Amino acid sequence: MEGASVAEFSWETRSPLDRALVAGPHGASGDAGVSLTEIRNFDLVQVMARRGKAAEMAEAAKARFGVAAPETPNAVGAPDATLIWSGPDQFFVLSKGGKHAAGALAQAFATSASLSDQSHARVLIGISGAKARAMLAKLASIDLHAEAFAIGEAAATSMDHTSVTLWRGNDRDGLAVFNVLVFATFAESLWHTMLDSGAEYGIEIGHSEEMA
């Protein structure tokens, strides 16, 4: 129609936990036994070896990151990224700042692997505290005892029937730290389940943090 103006739209990226995450105490009063924090603004790329190219993919990963990509359920720290096992002959690259975004990795893995940008498809939740294991034990079927699930170990598992990637990070203040990647579409549901499961221990919900 002549003279009609075209509506302008602006799109703002929002976390799937925007409505659900309310910073502050939750559940039992007193010292919180569990700390929950959403970690935002990260690059997450899944690297999957092409048929017969697993060895070539491993060589490309070593050249790119300076460390061997995990071949078993582990998370491996590189100087500017974390490589997290996500299944046979595949792993996640977790980083920030775009250096290891999908486009930046395309050339390094051009002949050996397929890449899938998962940066906006997953939510990353950090879990710590003296009762973190007790809370997670209600939701996950794997053994998270320190001797069974050491620092750097990872698992592709489920929590309350929701598929997740779970790994143990470095301890903080002498307490275990766990990281959970969950599909964005299930993040709010899992978040509420975590709140319900940890309420008896007291939960401190942190403001969303930038990835360190």
Side-chain angles (χ1 to χ4, degrees), residues 4-69:
S5 60
V6 178
E8 294 185 1
F9 295 93
S10 61
W11 301 96
E12 180 182 355
T13 301
R14 298 181 62 186
S15 164
L17 293 182
D18 265 354
R19 294 183 306 173
L21 194 156
V22 179
H26 174 85
S29 58
D31 293 338
V34 179
S35 174
L36 292 179
T37 304
E38 182 197 8
I39 301 165
R40 297 186 179 181
N41 295 333
F42 55 83
D43 297 308
L44 183 69
V45 181
Q46 191 165 25
V47 182
M48 299 162 284
R50 294 175 184 164
R51 183 175 298 177
K53 297 287 188 176
E56 184 179 337
M57 180 191 72
E59 291 177 2
K62 183 67 177 293
R64 174 75 186 195
F65 303 107
V67 296

Side-chain angles (χ1 to χ4, degrees), residues 4-211:
S5 60
V6 178
E8 294 185 1
F9 295 93
S10 61
W11 301 96
E12 180 182 355
T13 301
R14 298 181 62 186
S15 164
L17 293 182
D18 265 354
R19 294 183 306 173
L21 194 156
V22 179
H26 174 85
S29 58
D31 293 338
V34 179
S35 174
L36 292 179
T37 304
E38 182 197 8
I39 301 165
R40 297 186 179 181
N41 295 333
F42 55 83
D43 297 308
L44 183 69
V45 181
Q46 191 165 25
V47 182
M48 299 162 284
R50 294 175 184 164
R51 183 175 298 177
K53 297 287 188 176
E56 184 179 337
M57 180 191 72
E59 291 177 2
K62 183 67 177 293
R64 174 75 186 195
F65 303 107
V67 296
E71 297 180 355
T72 57
N74 286 287
V76 179
D80 50 12
T82 302
L83 312 184
I84 308 150
W85 181 90
S86 60
D89 299 328
Q90 59 184 275
F91 60 95
F92 288 119
V93 179
L94 177 65
S95 62
K96 67 172 185 175
K99 182 177 180 180
H100 300 302
L105 294 178
Q107 184 174 356
F109 293 100
T111 62
S112 64
S114 298
L115 306 180
S116 175
D117 187 353
Q118 298 289 306
S119 304
H120 299 294
R122 311 273 179 142
V123 169
L124 178 57
I125 300 171
I127 306 166
S128 60
K131 295 296 184 179
R133 283 191 180 89
M135 185 202 75
L136 289 170
K138 298 180 181 182
L139 305 176
S141 59
I142 59 176
D143 186 356
L144 297 176
H145 189 276
E147 295 181 1
F149 202 76
I151 292 172
E153 293 206 30
T157 184
S158 64
M159 295 176 63
D160 193 40
H161 310 291
T162 301
S163 296
V164 301
T165 299
L166 168 70
W167 73 98
R168 185 177 164 193
N170 291 323
D171 290 355
R172 185 185 306 132
D173 299 327
L175 299 174
V177 175
F178 298 93
N179 302 284
V180 173
L181 277 172
V182 57
F183 282 107
T185 50
F186 299 109
E188 184 173 349
S189 174
L190 183 59
W191 181 265
H192 284 299
T193 301
M194 287 181 177
L195 293 182
D196 290 343
S197 299
E200 67 172 297
Y201 310 119
I203 300 174
E204 181 62 31
I205 303 171
H207 292 277
S208 297
E209 296 180 357
E210 301 285 319
M211 184 175 154

